[in-house]
Each structure stands twice: as structure tokens, then as C-alpha cells.
């Protein structure tokens, strides 16, 4: 009974944590993108009070998004159990942890735009934050997406179409990077789709005893 309850609870935790991460991260990215445009025009723009307020709101969401992602990652590993490939799972764990660390680093760099000290510091913080987010964090996210899709496909947890979508999303994040604005939304979008699939699978599994009775 306890083992059955554990099998049903772990996917629920992964799905819920993934949805929280996806919503918070997407909201933070949109706020920062709108408040701090990238490129030459954004570098020359002065950050006003409204933009600083939007950035502050986004940065306050980032720690909670990181905590939700760690919970999501841990629940996924527990769901895989002892059947997971040790090599792939190590890459999965490492890429997820580096992604969170880089995400926090980007958030720390973005705090400089809240400083009233002038445009120079804000421009520097914006450039560093965008570099960490779009170049480094998204590359680690790409590795995480690809390894998760590989593990899910090998264990038969993910349907083939979702695994293919995962590989395409991972390649997009790996290749596109900072070249296409807003491409970083691919990662929280993929996490949201994966989380909904996990929750839907849990709902179907929970309804099976009632159907067979």
C-alpha cells in the first residue's frame, strides 16, 4: 500500500513543482525582457522607476522558481527509481544544478539595474545578466531537456511524441541561444508540457483501480 502511494505521490510532486517553476520563470523572463530590452537600443536606454519595479518583481520570483525546479528535478529522479542509467542521470543532475546556479547568477547581475548610481552600472548588469541567462543557463537547460527526454524514453515514462518534442526543444536552446530573442521561453514551456503530461498520467493511473472494480 505504501509503495503504491509513493508511486502516485512522486509524479504529482514533479508535475506540481514543474508547473510552479514554468509559470514563475516565464513571468520573470517576460518582465525582464519588457523592462530591459537587449541589443544596442537597450544598452543606451535609461532605466526608469517603472522598469526597475518590473525587474525587482522578476528577481523576487527567481529564488522561488529555483526552489521549485530543484523539487521538480528531485521528484523526477525519484520517479525514475533504480532503473535509470547512471551516466545519463549524472548528466541530468549536473546540468540541472548548474542551470539553477547560473540562473541565480543572472539574477544577481540584474540587481545592478536597480541601483540609482547611473546608466553605466545598469548597462553592465544588463549585459552580464543576459549573457548568463541566454548563453550559459539556456545551454545547461538544453542538456537537461535532452537527458530528461532520453531517460523518459528509455524507461517508457514519456510517450514518443513528447520525447521528440524534448529533443527539438533541447536542440533549439543549444543552437539558438542569444541569437533569437525570447527563445529562452522554450524551456519553461517544455517544463509546463512535461508537467501536464505527468499529472495526466498520474490521474489515469489513479483511476485504473476504480475502472477495474
Amino acid at each position: 500500500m505504501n509503495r503504491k502511494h509513493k508511486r502516485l505521490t512522486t509524479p504529482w510532486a514533479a508535475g506540481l513543482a514543474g508547473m510552479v517553476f514554468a509559470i514563475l520563470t516565464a513571468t520573470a523572463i517576460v518582465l525582464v525582457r519588457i523592462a530591459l530590452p537587449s541589443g544596442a537600443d537597450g544598452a543606451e536606454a535609461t532605466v526608469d522607476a517603472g522598469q526597475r519595479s518590473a525587474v525587482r518583481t522578476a528577481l523576487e520570483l527567481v529564488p522561488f522558481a529555483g526552489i521549485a525546479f530543484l523539487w521538480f528535478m528531485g521528484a523526477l529522479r525519484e520517479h525514475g527509481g533504480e532503473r535509470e542509467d547512471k551516466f545519463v542521470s549524472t548528466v541530468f543532475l549536473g546540468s540541472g544544478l548548474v542551470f539553477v546556479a547560473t540562473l541565480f547568477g543572472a539574477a544577481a547581475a540584474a540587481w545592478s539595474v536597480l541601483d540609482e548610481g547611473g546608466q553605466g552600472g545598469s548597462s553592465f548588469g544588463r549585459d552580464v545578466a543576459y549573457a548568463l541567462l541566454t548563453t550559459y543557463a539556456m545551454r545547461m537547460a538544453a542538456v537537461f531537456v535532452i537527458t530528461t527526454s532520453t531517460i523518459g524514453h528509455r524507461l517508457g515514462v514519456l510517450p514518443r511524441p513528447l520525447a521528440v518534442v524534448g529533443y527539438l526543444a533541447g536542440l533549439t536552446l543549444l543552437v539558438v541561444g542569444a541569437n533569437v530573442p525570447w527563445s529562452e521561453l522554450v524551456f519553461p514551456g517544455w517544463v509546463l508540457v512535461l508537467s501536464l503530461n505527468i499529472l495526466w498520467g498520474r490521474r489515469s493511473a489513479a483511476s485504473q483501480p476504480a475502472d477495474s472494480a
Side-chain angles (χ1 to χ4, degrees):
M1 181 66 179
N2 291 335
R3 294 181 63 183
K4 179 180 178 181
H5 177 73
K6 185 177 181 180
R7 287 199 305 270
L8 296 180
T9 301
T10 301
W12 179 86
L16 182 61
M19 290 184 65
V20 172
F21 164 78
I23 294 172
L24 293 180
T25 304
T27 302
I29 290 173
V30 169
L31 287 174
V32 171
R33 276 288 184 183
I34 294 176
L36 302 176
S38 60
D41 294 337
E44 296 174 359
T46 302
V47 181
D48 57 27
Q51 291 173 310
R52 285 195 294 271
S53 177
V55 173
R56 183 178 292 106
T57 301
L59 296 182
E60 289 174 351
L61 296 177
V62 169
F64 298 100
I67 293 171
F69 183 78
L70 291 175
W71 191 276
F72 170 71
M73 187 169 58
L76 284 181
R77 290 202 70 197
E78 179 67 19
H79 185 43
E82 298 180 354
R83 298 178 298 163
E84 64 181 7
D85 183 274
K86 300 303 180 183
F87 172 77
V88 179
S89 64
T90 300
V91 179
F92 161 87
L93 180 62
S95 61
L97 293 177
V98 174
F99 166 76
V100 174
T102 311
L103 181 66
F104 286 174
W111 272 107
S112 64
V113 304
L114 304 179
D115 188 5
E116 300 287 348
Q119 180 181 340
S122 297
S123 177
F124 174 78
R126 174 172 42 237
D127 293 342
V128 173
Y130 270 117
L132 287 173
L133 177 64
T134 61
T135 302
Y136 298 100
M138 289 303 108
R139 259 61 176 199
M140 290 299 99
V143 176
F144 180 85
V145 172
I146 293 173
T147 53
T148 302
S149 300
T150 301
I151 293 172
H153 177 65
R154 288 183 178 180
L155 298 181
V157 177
L158 297 181
R160 183 181 296 272
L162 185 56
V164 172
V165 169
Y167 289 126
L168 293 177
L171 290 175
T172 299
L173 293 170
L174 190 64
V175 175
V176 171
N179 297 324
V180 178
W182 301 92
S183 61
E184 57 272 10
L185 288 175
V186 170
F187 184 49
W190 173 83
V191 173
L192 181 60
V193 172
L194 178 61
S195 301
L196 291 174
N197 178 78
I198 291 173
L199 291 175
W200 179 259
R202 176 187 179 272
R203 179 182 177 183
S204 300
S207 64
Q208 285 180 0
D211 294 340
S212 61

